[in-house]
Amino acid sequence: MKIKLILGACLLSFAGLSQISAQLEEYLEEKVRDSRVRAYIENHAEAYQEAKNSGINYQPQGPSIEEFVESINFSLHKKETADRDFSLIPGAEPFIAMNPANRDHLVVSYMSSVDADYPIYVTFDGGVNWTPSSFSSLAYLDTLSPGTQVFGGGDPVLAFDANGNLHMTYIYVHGSGFNFVGGMYYVNSTDGGITFNIPSNGDHIVHEGDILASDLLDRQWMHCDTTGGSFDGTLYMSAVYFGGSFGSAGELVLRKLPSDGGFTSYAVAAPHNNGLSTQFGNLKVDGNGHVHMACMEIDGNDGSGNVLYTKSTDNGTTFSTPTVIAAATTALPNGGNHIVHGRDNSSTSMAVDGNNVYITWTDMANSDVRAYYSYSNDAGATFSTPVQFGLNTVGSGYYHLMPNVAADNGKMSLTWYAVDSVSFETQYVMAESQNAGQSFSGYAAIGSGPTDFMNENAQDFYGDYNASEKNDCFTYSVFTDGRTGSPVVYFVRKNGCVMSVDEISAINSGIIVQDLYPNPASNQINLNIESKTNLTMKLEVFDMQGRVVIEEELNAIKGLQNKSLNLDSMEAGKYFIRISNSQEFKVLSFIVE
């Protein structure tokens, strides 16, 4: 690998230069994890803007990227793709996509905080077994731009079409010399995510922009038309553009027709308006092939804003004038004063189910973090009064962070982080509605214990993004858990019709339960457990009230082994097996007859 990766902590500063734009500062804060490198780019951006405002060409001063890397004595030992397998790689910004042609076929990706790669995991059995993809976005970037320096990136996003083809986009911040690039890239897979194809003729590059000029495409979201209608197979992507080669800045919707190799056209769906920035977009395609998009409109001075909604009925060529769904008292923390951690934001999430359209978001006002949703049952013509669902379901005394919505067949689920407002301990929470969001049957806290945000650094990516897919009663969700001291991506399978969690497991797990049988069981249940290393694990069985009925220590050896549990003393009902070590845990359910 020729690519050099840059991560760490410290700060540089130059005096007397003009300020960079708030949008660029936010982009760098999200995409570049090392404060030294972030300051290095910001300083050049400030100097570039000052020269531009003075009508002169920018003449870079100081060390080049290569010299700067050497001066900070940077070193990172990257795990090669072939070694990745199921070794536990900390990650963040998880995303999940479901194949509409086979709903047991799910794909998850996230950003590895070890090496800035985007590991991809595939399941064809609803999350029981996961297979790592052979594709490495980092290795591909080295082919695309040999020797380039990688400063960071983010936003791995996935979408299936009706034929089971998988589409993926992601972002890298990289460059060489004094050339700083913000790049968004597109690849696709015809085998469900095991291998990927690189589009030719430049179609793999969605956009590469000059960071110093704020020529950036960021925070994308994708969905594909799977209706079988005249626009079937069209892939849509919303993204925020800060200004430059695209012309009018704001929330764009880019389009890839089935015959196109890449994204070849776009529309400005929600332009920046009177100094207000539009960003944090999300979009979905309904059963009529209409494209729905929600985003935030934010005042960069005081953080206030609005939740906007717009719609296209002509294949994403034009969009309706954006309407205000709700006033977000504070759409972003004022002056960077994040309440929970440095990743608090007001990103919208959207789901479409028939004529039902759901939008959820976070609002931050009066040193509070609140979660709301609004729904439409007339395909976006009108929306309900916003509901503060975190307060209604979990109760008072909590911040409610980064909500996500999924819906199918008249059923809707909300997932988010509920953070104790005093201790900052947090749980990942799921609430279910069986009547299109009009009421909730309850909520479930997912996990074995809380993460303490008090112990995390401001830029840690715990509680950052989460994502869900819905298949009738079942909700499939991914989230990042930081309780072990590094972010681990977990997968959850939950039956919302009976408020039951069926499985929780680390996507990149070192613990694999290949079989749990018989299920239902009578007097004995067996587990075939595969471990990637020799380690000590704890095995616990819980009843539906959370009481521990079996507790054992398991000294696992590398490889496959069988474990049997005697159930003679247990009453009939549903139980949960939890297997854990110091880094991760896995939860499975079973029935005793």
Side-chain angles (χ1 to χ4, degrees):
M1 291 288 294
K2 297 177 181 177
I3 282 181
K4 299 181 178 69
L5 300 168
I6 303 179
L7 307 167
C10 191
L11 188 64
L12 303 174
S13 63
F14 294 170
L17 299 176
S18 59
Q19 292 291 313
I20 62 174
S21 69
Q23 291 90 346
L24 176 57
E25 185 175 11
E26 182 180 307
Y27 179 90
L28 293 174
E29 182 178 299
E30 287 196 354
K31 297 295 182 289
V32 180
R33 315 298 170 83
D34 188 311
S35 60
R36 296 172 296 184
V37 177
R38 191 162 57 246
Y40 178 82
I41 297 175
E42 287 175 352
N43 289 329
H44 281 288
E46 289 172 356
Y48 175 92
Q49 295 295 338
E50 185 171 89
K52 180 179 179 181
N53 292 338
S54 300
I56 61 177
N57 293 327
Y58 172 56
Q59 297 296 324
Q61 302 294 317
S64 66
I65 294 174
E66 292 79 10
E67 292 167 335
F68 175 71
V69 170
E70 185 176 351
S71 73
I72 63 175
N73 195 29
F74 170 76
S75 176
L76 179 67
H77 299 287
K78 182 189 181 299
K79 288 184 67 63
E80 296 299 331
T81 304
D83 298 331
R84 216 163 45 192
D85 199 25
F86 280 93
S87 55
L88 200 65
I89 304 172
E93 297 193 345
F95 197 94
I96 187 169
M98 177 189 292
N99 183 352
N102 174 11
R103 293 191 165 194
D104 286 330
H105 178 193
L106 302 161
V107 180
V108 169
S109 186
Y110 57 90
M111 184 170 187
S112 168
S113 56
V114 172
D115 56 14
D117 209 345
Y118 301 106
I120 301 162
Y121 288 86
V122 182
T123 178
F124 294 98
D125 54 17
V128 177
N129 297 286
W130 294 90
T131 301
S133 172
S134 62
F135 177 68
S136 168
S137 57
L138 195 62
Y140 164 58
L141 184 63
D142 188 41
T143 302
L144 179 66
S145 301
T148 191
Q149 309 281 346
V150 176
F151 299 107
D155 303 348
V157 176
L158 305 161
F160 276 102
D161 63 26
N163 296 318
N165 299 312
L166 181 66
H167 307 269
M168 181 178 184
T169 57
Y170 51 87
I171 294 172
Y172 275 122
V173 176
H174 65 98
S176 59
F178 288 100
N179 180 32
F180 302 96
V181 176
M184 183 182 292
Y185 304 98
Y186 164 73
V187 295
N188 59 60
S189 173
T190 57
D191 60 9
I194 300 301
T195 63
F196 278 79
N197 310 305
I198 310 300
S200 59
N201 301 320
D203 289 329
H204 56 290
I205 300 175
V206 180
H207 182 66
E208 284 187 333
D210 181 357
I211 288 180
L212 301 186
S214 297
D215 183 11
L216 303 168
L217 203 59
D218 189 21
R219 214 307 184 162
Q220 80 279 21
W221 215 263
M222 293 194 303
H223 202 225
C224 195
D225 186 319
T226 60
T227 62
S230 57
F231 303 143
D232 184 74
T234 302
L235 181 65
Y236 300 94
M237 177 172 65
S238 64
V240 60
Y241 184 67
F242 296 144
S245 58
F246 276 101
S248 299
E251 271 290 335
L252 309 178
V253 171
L254 294 88
R255 184 178 65 177
K256 176 190 174 299
L257 299 177
S259 58
D260 296 334
F263 292 88
T264 58
S265 62
Y266 74 94
V268 181
H272 293 339
N273 182 36
N274 295 325
L276 301 179
S277 169
T278 49
Q279 53 184 296
F280 296 129
N282 201 302
L283 94 171
K284 288 289 188 295
V285 185
D286 68 18
N288 296 313
H290 298 162
V291 184
H292 304 258
M293 196 198 77
C295 66
M296 300 298 299
E297 182 179 58
I298 301 169
D299 187 325
N301 295 316
D302 63 11
S304 63
N306 298 302
V307 182
L308 301 183
Y309 166 80
T310 182
K311 178 180 178 179
S312 173
T313 59
D314 59 3
N315 196 210
T317 303
T318 62
F319 281 80
S320 62
T321 300
T323 59
V324 176
I325 302 302
T329 309
T330 305
L332 279 177
N334 294 338
N337 183 25
H338 296 269
I339 299 167
V340 178
H341 66 125
R343 300 290 297 173
D344 302 356
N345 66 62
S346 54
S347 296
T348 59
S349 175
M350 171 179 277
V352 174
D353 175 27
N355 286 326
N356 298 316
V357 181
Y358 306 91
I359 302 172
T360 183
W361 66 93
T362 298
D363 180 81
M364 287 155 275
N366 302 319
S367 298
D368 201 355
V369 183
R370 305 167 184 173
Y372 292 87
Y373 81 93
S374 177
Y375 64 88
S376 168
N377 55 20
D378 53 16
T382 60
F383 280 84
S384 67
T385 301
V387 177
Q388 190 181 163
F389 63 85
L391 177 65
N392 293 352
T393 53
V394 180
S396 60
Y398 293 89
Y399 297 141
H400 301 283
L401 186 68
M402 296 299 293
N404 187 275
V405 61
D408 183 52
N409 199 25
K411 303 173 181 65
M412 186 263 274
S413 65
L414 291 164
T415 55
W416 74 98
Y417 294 88
V419 185
D420 188 292
S421 60
V422 176
S423 69
F424 275 42
E425 291 188 340
T426 184
Q427 287 273 18
Y428 191 57
V429 175
M430 307 179 78
E432 298 281 349
S433 172
Q434 307 304 315
N435 55 8
Q438 298 180 51
S439 64
F440 290 90
S441 54
Y443 78 95
I446 308 300
S448 62
T451 294
D452 186 357
F453 277 112
M454 283 288 195
N455 294 332
E456 312 304 344
N457 296 322
Q459 289 304 309
D460 284 341
F461 275 44
Y462 315 148
D464 177 35
Y465 289 17
N466 65 94
S468 299
E469 290 278 12
K470 190 79 171 163
N471 179 14
D472 195 54
C473 288
F474 286 92
T475 300
Y476 303 93
S477 186
V478 286
F479 70 102
T480 298
D481 186 305
R483 76 194 61 188
T484 65
S486 62
V488 177
V489 177
Y490 280 88
F491 166 78
V492 181
R493 183 173 63 241
K494 179 173 177 288
N495 187 337
C497 292
V498 295
M499 290 304 294
S500 171
V501 177
D502 292 332
E503 181 178 354
I504 310 171
S505 59
I507 284 291
N508 42 352
S509 179
I511 303 171
I512 304 171
V513 179
Q514 292 194 340
D515 292 295
L516 178 67
Y517 64 95
N519 189 10
S522 53
N523 57 2
Q524 179 176 292
I525 195 163
N526 305 290
L527 297 87
N528 287 336
I529 303 172
E530 183 180 358
S531 176
K532 293 298 179 181
T533 59
N534 296 333
L535 48 79
T536 299
M537 296 188 288
K538 187 177 182 180
L539 190 152
E540 300 163 286
V541 176
F542 298 85
D543 62 17
M544 290 291 289
Q545 287 71 47
R547 296 171 298 199
V548 179
V549 295
I550 297 176
E551 184 174 3
E552 295 184 13
E553 187 175 275
L554 180 63
N555 293 315
I557 58 173
K558 183 177 180 180
L560 185 66
Q561 59 189 300
N562 178 268
K563 174 67 179 177
S564 298
L565 297 176
N566 189 297
L567 309 177
D568 285 338
S569 61
M570 295 170 58
E571 298 180 355
K574 186 169 186 176
Y575 293 85
F576 301 92
I577 293 179
R578 180 179 182 274
I579 304 168
S580 61
N581 59 29
S582 60
Q583 288 188 304
E584 58 176 303
F585 64 91
K586 187 178 185 73
V587 176
L588 298 166
S589 63
F590 68 97
I591 302 293
V592 174
E593 294 180 321

